[in-house]
Amino acid sequence: ENNCTRCVCLSSDTTTTTTTTTTTTTTTAATSTTAANESCVMMLCAIGCERVLDERNCSRCVCSTNTTTTTTTSATTTFNTTTTTTSTTALMDARPMDLCLVYFDVAQLMHTLSRQEDGIMLTQQCVEWCDSEAEDEVSEVLAGDVRNLLAIMMLESKQVEAAAEMFGSLEAIYRRAKANVSWAVVPVINHAQCLRQLKRYDEAQAAYERALAWLNEAYAGPHQRKATIYSSLGVMYSSLQRYDDAIAACQQALAMYKVIAGSTSEGVQRCLVNLGLYNLYRLDLAQSEKHLRAAVTIRQAAQLEESDKRMFTPLRDLAACLVLQDRTAEAIPLFEQSERGRKENGEAVSDIVFLLQAGLALHRGEFPAARQLAAAALEQSIKDNSVSTARVIRHFIEKMEATISSSGVAGADETADQPKIATSQPSDLPDEEDEGAAAPE
């Protein structure tokens, strides 16, 4: 409406010309301070026109309020241009809510580019404008959307408590203003996820249940958001060692994902892996093997790389399941494949890796080494605060000691003065994790 011609991408070795009608005035972009190694820069369109983004996510906006022909030229690494005050003038004249829309668009781009610090700065400015200008339902929804984006970026920046508080403030706004329940419920789910990360489990469960009730009012059948909630509840119940509840919730998610997205979808794969783990934690090894094999089969058919964590992690868990069933010979090729992927990925040695190494040593009759590796596995699980994995490792140790006792090998029961086995360097040990190595997806 202000005769802004359009936004064009200026990238290295590119000349872009946009022509609409007969006016001949030419405006060139302001000089860029972009580093020489960057191929494009970004500026705000102060007028609020739609930007045209190319596949490089470059969105330099070159606006002219008084012209209909705009020519922009870029050099190889810097922009040889003259300065225009058009955008500055428009910026001063624009209303705060108009500016908020532009800043919000750019903040979303920053989020896409993983530039969370810049995105947070922009959205915080938007929040100030919204708080000072919000007058009607439209501006209230915008204020909610701005806060939702800010909370998401806070969560991704590990500011979990701040994100939880921000998400918690949005439920009332969205219940009043959002007609689309599928979108309006997202901050409630995100609030529950934050509370779960903070181990405020009762509050998290209440938030999940509110979101689920809201969705059930709007949608009778399976729904993506419902499946997400059930899957998340499964992870939370597993953290509380409520494995039966975890399995029941995950099975509901699995059934919905199959209807919504198909039997080989990512949601189905994730549920199969988690069902395998929940059954492993409660030592139902047959069910664990069944679900893990199903997940591995789908992912192998999708030809995932060995170094993809979605591939080598369920392979490793399946190998552990087989070792616990005294089927170590079957586990060896799976473990070897998972180890190639883990090393290529650069992932640290985990408690489950130590357990598998102990199983292989036991299979070879190397009892002192098996004991030391099993002890390392248990120590690692305790360090990682993984109660569920520690339970599995203790079960393995009991079976291992029974095997050693019944072996009839002279000296097999002697544990004193055993040589120390170098299982890993200190740098190979993972950082502390809430769920340990064998964690639900």
Side-chain angles (χ1 to χ4, degrees):
E1 59 188 11
N2 292 305
N3 293 320
C4 174
T5 54
R6 64 186 293 158
C7 299
V8 292
C9 175
L10 290 181
S11 59
S12 59
D13 302 315
T14 302
T15 301
T16 306
T17 304
T18 304
T19 304
T20 53
T21 56
T22 57
T23 311
T24 57
T25 306
T26 300
T27 302
T28 52
T31 303
S32 170
T33 58
T34 305
N37 65 341
E38 292 184 351
S39 64
C40 61
V41 296
M42 184 187 69
M43 291 187 65
L44 302 180
C45 171
I47 301 171
C49 65
E50 293 184 3
R51 297 192 311 278
V52 178
L53 307 183
D54 77 349
E55 61 187 8
R56 293 172 295 246
N57 289 320
C58 173
S59 59
R60 185 175 177 92
C61 180
V62 185
C63 291
S64 172
T65 57
N66 299 311
T67 69
T68 50
T69 303
T70 300
T71 305
T72 61
T73 306
S74 66
T76 302
T77 56
T78 59
F79 293 98
N80 297 319
T81 58
T82 58
T83 303
T84 176
T85 60
T86 299
S87 292
T88 303
T89 303
L91 185 66
M92 294 173 65
D93 294 339
R95 293 186 311 147
M97 293 309 290
D98 292 333
L99 294 174
C100 183
L101 286 168
V102 179
Y103 272 52
F104 182 48
D105 282 346
V106 179
Q108 292 182 85
L109 179 61
M110 294 296 96
H111 178 233
T112 302
L113 297 173
S114 299
R115 291 172 55 178
Q116 311 300 4
E117 186 176 342
D118 292 331
I120 288 173
M121 178 185 68
L122 289 165
T123 48
Q124 285 173 334
Q125 177 62 67
C126 289
V127 168
E128 290 182 20
W129 281 328
C130 288
D131 288 345
S132 64
E133 295 287 326
E135 299 173 348
D136 52 30
E137 183 177 295
V138 174
S139 56
E140 186 179 39
V141 171
L142 175 60
D145 290 345
V146 166
R147 282 178 164 82
N148 186 53
L149 178 61
L150 177 57
I152 289 170
M153 290 188 288
M154 284 177 169
L155 181 57
E156 293 176 356
S157 301
K158 309 300 183 185
Q159 302 174 43
V160 183
E161 290 192 14
E165 183 178 354
M166 186 71 71
F167 281 130
S169 71
L170 296 177
E171 183 174 349
I173 295 174
Y174 280 3
R175 279 189 181 273
R176 285 196 303 269
K178 284 281 187 181
N180 186 341
V181 174
S182 180
W183 170 245
V185 78
V186 169
V188 187
I189 299 173
N190 287 339
H191 185 215
Q193 309 284 45
C194 290
L195 293 169
R196 177 167 62 83
Q197 288 190 37
L198 294 168
K199 302 187 187 302
R200 291 158 59 181
Y201 295 122
D202 290 343
E203 295 173 73
Q205 180 163 348
Y208 283 131
E209 289 174 352
R210 287 198 310 275
L212 199 55
W214 194 3
L215 286 164
N216 285 331
E217 290 174 7
Y219 308 103
H223 191 278
Q224 178 76 27
R225 305 291 191 212
K226 293 181 188 179
T228 298
I229 292 170
Y230 282 120
S231 180
S232 299
L233 281 169
V235 175
M236 187 181 76
Y237 291 145
S238 173
S239 300
L240 297 168
Q241 293 84 57
R242 292 168 55 182
Y243 305 122
D244 290 345
D245 291 335
I247 289 168
C250 195
Q251 285 174 335
Q252 287 185 280
L254 176 63
M256 288 190 181
Y257 280 128
K258 285 181 177 179
V259 173
I260 296 163
S263 59
T264 60
S265 64
E266 184 61 35
V268 166
Q269 296 172 40
R270 186 167 57 250
C271 286
L272 289 171
V273 170
N274 289 348
L275 283 169
L277 286 174
Y278 303 153
N279 279 286
L280 180 64
Y281 296 158
R282 71 173 186 174
L283 302 175
D284 188 341
L285 301 178
Q287 285 297 310
S288 176
E289 179 185 352
K290 171 188 169 183
H291 292 300
L292 289 170
R293 280 196 186 279
V296 166
T297 298
I298 294 172
R299 290 179 174 177
Q300 285 177 332
Q303 298 182 328
L304 295 184
E305 297 289 335
E306 278 189 350
S307 58
D308 191 322
K309 189 169 184 175
R310 294 172 299 163
M311 189 72 256
F312 70 77
T313 300
L315 278 171
R316 181 177 63 204
D317 296 334
L318 178 56
C321 182
L322 293 172
V323 165
L324 290 166
Q325 296 179 77
D326 300 321
R327 293 159 60 188
T328 306
E330 294 177 58
I332 290 172
L334 300 177
F335 178 47
E336 290 175 346
Q337 184 180 348
S338 72
E339 278 294 89
R340 289 195 299 270
R342 179 189 68 81
K343 291 174 181 177
E344 187 177 343
N345 183 273
E347 185 180 277
V349 176
S350 68
D351 46 11
I352 294 296
V353 172
F354 283 132
L355 181 148
L356 284 162
Q357 290 173 344
L360 266 61
L362 182 65
H363 182 67
R364 295 189 297 265
E366 300 169 358
F367 300 141
R371 279 177 166 143
Q372 288 214 0
L373 288 163
L378 185 58
E379 180 182 352
Q380 188 63 54
S381 67
I382 293 170
K383 176 185 175 183
D384 292 340
N385 194 30
S386 179
V387 177
S388 297
T389 312
R391 182 170 187 263
V392 173
I393 293 168
R394 287 190 177 96
H395 176 73
F396 169 79
I397 291 173
E398 289 176 5
K399 289 174 64 67
M400 176 187 69
E401 291 300 331
T403 299
I404 293 173
S405 296
S406 63
S407 66
V409 177
D413 290 330
E414 295 176 8
T415 58
D417 300 323
Q418 291 177 355
K420 295 293 182 183
I421 307 295
T423 57
S424 69
Q425 298 299 320
S427 60
D428 288 335
L429 296 177
D431 294 330
E432 207 167 290
E433 299 172 358
D434 288 339
E435 295 287 351
E441 296 186 357

